[in-house]
DNA sequence: GTCTTGACTTAGACAAAGTCCAATGTAGGA
DNA sequence: TCCTACATTGGACTTTGTCTAAGTCAAGAC
């Protein structure tokens, strides 16, 4: 993760305690926190961090391409630090749990030219939905 | 569209002026209105319809499987009446315009068993993103 | 080490999207 | 026509996110 901080500093990012804490909270695999969850976790390490700073920092990480914004349910957006490995998401329709998945094939090449309507298509997101094992057994 | 109203009545739906108006507003192809847009259009036909009723009715149409809820941007959800023809969405990253598209292949079968983590996977949504012709030329 | 400055952070007001509730109205069967 | 369970209403409330003005501070210059 200090990789990330190094990279950010290299891009002229001013390194503050608040930004470091947000980056640390997002460290790890299979992390998909909402902004509020990030704020709660950040607060436990740096009690005086404000909501606005969390939102600002998350927004910057997204525009720097270090974090991906995911909105699977039309409610709070979630932030996925796994930005450097192509993947898609599998979401539980009951509890909202998210898993990273790697489908075969390339959906981008599955969209024929005449179905692009002149758009310059640059990205594709695939969201699988279903019921997770623990919700199914409950 | 009276098909829809017939079908709903057959399911025991109580047919009110408000519900009829909401269903009429959603009539058509390539319709992807927000709840607010539906409310505005409904109001022009039935001025006293309330926001709560629009939300209730949209929610019911969704649970009846007559309308699909789409959230492409983490802002307002959009409602897509094209629920009986399998399709996916192409979204302009600048203006938010949505087009229905029909990619080749079946992304559901692209998710191998070991990538399902025990989930009972029932649905998949594919969202293509890019810049539409009119935003590109502007 | 200290100074300076522009970028960063803060608290709180504000906004957008959606939910909830108690009171009122009404569709459709008896 | 009447009844009643279901639908609608308006407004308060919640959640999620944005904005701003004032204060703070990281990091380069000296």
């Amino acid at each position: 993760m200090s990789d990330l901080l190094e990279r950010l500093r290299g891009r002229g990012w001013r390194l503050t305690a608040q930004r470091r804490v947000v980056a640390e909270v997002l460290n790890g695999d299979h992390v998909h926190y909402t902004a509020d969850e990030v704020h709660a976790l950040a607060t436990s390490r740096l009690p005086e961090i404000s909501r606005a700073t969390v939102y600002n920092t998350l927004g910057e990480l997204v525009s720097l391409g270090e974090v991906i914004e995911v909105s699977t349910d039309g409610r709070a957006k979630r932030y996925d630090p796994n930005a450097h490995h192509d993947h898609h998401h599998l979401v539980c329709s009951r509890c909202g749990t998210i898993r990273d998945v790697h489908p075969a094939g390339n959906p981008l090449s599955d969209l024929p030219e005449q179905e692009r309507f002149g758009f310059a298509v640059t990205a594709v997101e695939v969201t699988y939905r279903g019921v997770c094992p623990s919700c199914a057994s409950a």
Side-chain angles (χ1 to χ4, degrees), chain A:
Chain A
M1 195 53 166
S2 58
D3 291 354
L4 171 56
L5 295 178
E6 280 312 311
R7 238 179 304 154
L8 294 174
R9 197 188 330 232
R11 300 209 210 184
W13 227 46
R14 197 150 123 185
L15 192 46
T16 65
Q18 291 83 350
R19 288 175 170 184
R20 194 189 336 259
V21 165
V22 169
E24 282 168 7
V25 165
L26 286 175
N27 188 18
D29 287 338
H30 306 299
V31 168
H32 302 95
Y33 292 134
T34 63
D36 243 31
E37 287 165 349
V38 172
H39 181 232
L41 291 164
T43 296
S44 69
R45 301 184 189 210
L46 184 68
E48 64 280 16
I49 190 171
S50 81
R51 259 165 25 93
T53 296
V54 170
Y55 276 104
N56 288 342
T57 305
L58 289 173
E60 282 156 17
L61 289 170
V62 169
S63 27
L64 292 170
E66 296 292 346
V67 165
I68 293 170
E69 207 171 60
V70 183
S71 68
T72 53
D73 62 352
R75 302 185 52 86
K77 291 176 192 162
R78 292 179 173 274
Y79 294 88
D80 180 347
N82 189 13
H84 297 296
H85 299 87
D86 217 21
H87 67 282
H88 297 285
H89 293 111
L90 169 56
V91 181
C92 177
S93 326
R94 300 242 178 99
C95 66
T97 293
I98 302 179
R99 305 277 327 216
D100 288 356
V101 294
H102 303 83
N106 176 3
L108 257 188
S109 58
D110 281 350
L111 192 65
E113 196 53 40
Q114 78 273 13
E115 282 281 303
R116 297 190 180 208
F117 302 102
F119 280 56
V121 180
T122 52
V124 58
E125 296 151 25
V126 182
T127 305
Y128 294 91
R129 295 186 187 279
V131 178
C132 75
S134 65
C135 283
S137 68

